[in-house]
Amino acid sequence: MAPQDWQPWQTAAFLDAQRRRRPVLLLLDAEWAPAAAEAHARVFARPDVAAVIGDRTVPVRVDVDRRPDIADRYGLGQWPSLLLLTPEGHVLTGGTALDDTLAERLRAAADAYAAQGRPDASWPAAATTAVPGDADAAGADDLLQEVRQAVEAPETLGLAAPVAVAALCAFAQAAVARDPEWASLAASLLDAADEPSLDPDAVADDAPAPARLDDQAEWVRVLSRAVRLEPLPSWQAHLHRRLAALRALRRPDGHWRPWAGAGRVVLVDASARACRALLAAAEALQDDDLAAEAIEALEVLAPLAYARGAGVSHVIDNGQAHGPVLLDDAMALAQAVLDADQWRDESVYRDLADEVLQTALGRLAHPSGALVDRVATMAGAGQVGRLSAPHVPIVGNAEAARVLVRLHGHDAAARERARRIVVAAAAEAGGAGVFAAPLGLAWIGLDPAGTATAAW
């Protein structure tokens, strides 16, 4: 299928599916994912596949980087993910195995829907989106052990950014609990990390994906902390290499490329994390020029991304903010400006961080105590299917709790709210493995002995 044959996620697509009594074929892919490019070149370009898609479904394509709220609710664990939905947005079936049998499987599933309104059994049913219920602190304590078990699994090491955060969590636990086993775990994760490419446009033939801003930023941040704790020459050298790879993703206009070879799009959460990484490196290396570079990037990013009273946008494209207003972006920006505050004499950054935090707490609170990812819209495609249900993001909730502690840690009520956020979000994070590391890090920061780690 040609790119123009796919519709965006919009009201018209679902109304068209209702009118024509067809299922919606939802494709979730990523520009940087080689498997997605291969699927378009080898599978969707096949005449039999294109014919059954065009004749039997309403095809909708979503870029997961531009619409992470859709990806979080419908994704099947890797990109591309392909799902068949009812015209109301409910999942019939889906999978990630896109091969030569796709046309046959799509035809059978579309026939089953047309005849009975239910899925064909050849694809597994997609997972549902959970919302946390009642939870207690034991669940949050269990997260640390879950993260520890997950990072010790060999297959985990391919998850660059999540493993970096897990290493930071391990360093924090080692420092607070004075536990040498956690320190050893953190060191082993650093030593096992892959080295970055210094050319942001160079991708090896066997590389799984181009260099991504999130990955480089998180590793610079954890290596900066590691060097401050113990300035081993190997860690210092690794930090300098990662820092060079990160800075290679900076664009001439001051924004950050979200991955090697990306166009003009700016992802706010990844860019804020890159600014945080530069500030962490500035502190570790005692380099004022790095701090000035980070603040310059924040001064470009923040005015475009944040709208007072509304929140922080996810995407900046051609100088304009677009996309959903999501919790993860808001908290990433709040953490970045808080990091920058110590390099400025006035309190403008601290005030901005508090404003962003209070907007999120006021607009995104869930009865469980956690925060949801977005404000639900009243109608249209923004309220179709799983988008009508609240979703609790792990990273956004962890960072919200940490920002609360950083800004209002002296206030008992604020610390209690931070604790409730982590505990409630932990109810959803069960089974998340290494991806639960941000909540583990937030939980450590709630300990009086770990308050300083809220800024890590």
Side-chain angles (χ1 to χ4, degrees), residues 382-448:
Q383 194 73 352
V384 166
R386 290 182 178 173
L387 282 185
S388 65
H391 170 73
V392 172
I394 289 174
V395 173
N397 276 270
E399 294 305 314
R402 278 156 44 87
V403 172
L404 259 172
V405 171
R406 292 185 71 179
L407 284 169
H408 305 291
H410 59 280
D411 182 82
R415 294 187 72 91
E416 175 57 23
R417 182 160 193 186
R419 190 195 72 85
R420 289 200 311 272
I421 289 172
V422 175
V423 169
E428 182 171 328
V434 69
F435 292 95
L439 280 174
L441 185 59
W443 189 242
I444 294 167
L446 289 171
D447 188 305

Side-chain angles (χ1 to χ4, degrees), residues 45-430:
R46 288 172 54 110
D48 58 337
V49 173
V52 71
I53 291 175
D55 294 342
R56 307 299 297 277
T57 75
V58 174
V60 171
R61 182 180 178 185
V62 170
D63 183 324
V64 301
D65 290 299
R66 291 178 178 265
R67 291 301 304 270
D69 53 330
I70 297 175
D72 286 345
R73 288 165 169 81
Y74 286 100
L76 299 176
Q78 62 187 49
W79 317 125
S81 292
L82 194 66
L83 301 99
L84 210 65
L85 312 180
T86 70
E88 295 74 36
H90 303 302
V91 176
L92 293 169
T93 188
T96 58
L98 307 185
D99 53 28
D100 295 344
T101 68
L102 181 60
E104 179 183 347
R105 288 186 290 137
L106 281 176
R107 189 176 296 108
D111 286 344
Y113 173 74
Q116 304 175 17
R118 56 188 176 86
D120 175 69
S122 63
W123 281 358
T128 58
T129 300
V131 175
D134 294 333
D136 56 30
D141 278 331
D142 290 342
L143 279 178
L144 290 174
Q145 295 308 315
E146 182 180 330
V147 169
R148 182 169 184 163
Q149 292 172 5
V151 297
E152 290 173 345
E155 62 271 16
T156 297
L157 290 177
L159 303 170
V163 172
V165 180
L168 198 60
C169 177
F171 273 124
Q173 180 66 0
V176 172
R178 302 191 179 279
D179 188 328
E181 292 187 2
W182 278 99
S184 177
L185 176 62
S188 68
L189 291 174
L190 291 192
D191 293 339
D194 292 333
E195 292 287 342
S197 168
L198 296 183
D199 182 353
D201 295 310
V203 181
D205 292 339
D206 59 348
R212 297 182 65 230
L213 183 61
D214 268 331
D215 298 336
Q216 304 296 3
E218 296 295 18
W219 276 114
V220 167
R221 193 155 63 96
V222 69
L223 282 161
S224 297
R225 178 58 52 183
V227 165
R228 291 189 66 192
L229 292 171
E230 189 169 357
L232 297 179
S234 60
W235 289 357
Q236 291 176 321
H238 193 176
L239 171 58
H240 283 287
R241 289 190 293 271
R242 286 280 183 183
L243 184 58
L246 173 69
R247 297 174 77 187
L249 289 168
R250 186 93 184 275
R251 293 187 342 203
D253 63 0
H255 284 298
W256 298 88
R257 286 182 286 175
W259 56 82
R264 302 296 297 174
V265 66
V266 174
L267 301 182
V268 173
D269 55 349
S271 296
R273 292 185 187 111
C275 294
R276 289 200 75 193
L278 279 186
L279 290 165
E283 194 171 6
L285 301 174
Q286 298 183 355
D287 188 333
D288 290 347
D289 290 339
L290 285 178
E293 184 179 342
I295 290 172
E296 178 187 13
L298 273 176
E299 293 286 353
V300 172
L301 178 70
L304 290 173
Y306 177 61
R308 177 166 292 180
V312 178
S313 296
H314 177 63
V315 175
I316 298 172
D317 204 347
N318 291 319
Q320 298 294 321
H322 299 283
V325 178
L326 301 176
L327 177 66
D328 283 6
D329 299 280
M331 293 304 101
L333 184 61
Q335 286 278 39
V337 295
L338 267 180
D339 288 351
D341 181 69
Q342 66 177 305
W343 298 88
R344 299 291 296 269
D345 293 332
E346 65 272 21
S347 63
V348 60
Y349 282 161
R350 186 176 184 86
D351 293 342
L352 175 58
D354 201 19
E355 187 175 316
V356 170
L357 172 67
Q358 296 306 327
T359 298
L361 294 177
R363 291 168 59 86
L364 302 176
H366 186 269
S368 67
L371 304 177
V372 295
D373 63 338
R374 61 193 265 281
V375 175
T377 56
M378 298 303 294
Q383 194 73 352
V384 166
R386 290 182 178 173
L387 282 185
S388 65
H391 170 73
V392 172
I394 289 174
V395 173
N397 276 270
E399 294 305 314
R402 278 156 44 87
V403 172
L404 259 172
V405 171
R406 292 185 71 179
L407 284 169
H408 305 291
H410 59 280
D411 182 82
R415 294 187 72 91
E416 175 57 23
R417 182 160 193 186
R419 190 195 72 85
R420 289 200 311 272
I421 289 172
V422 175
V423 169
E428 182 171 328

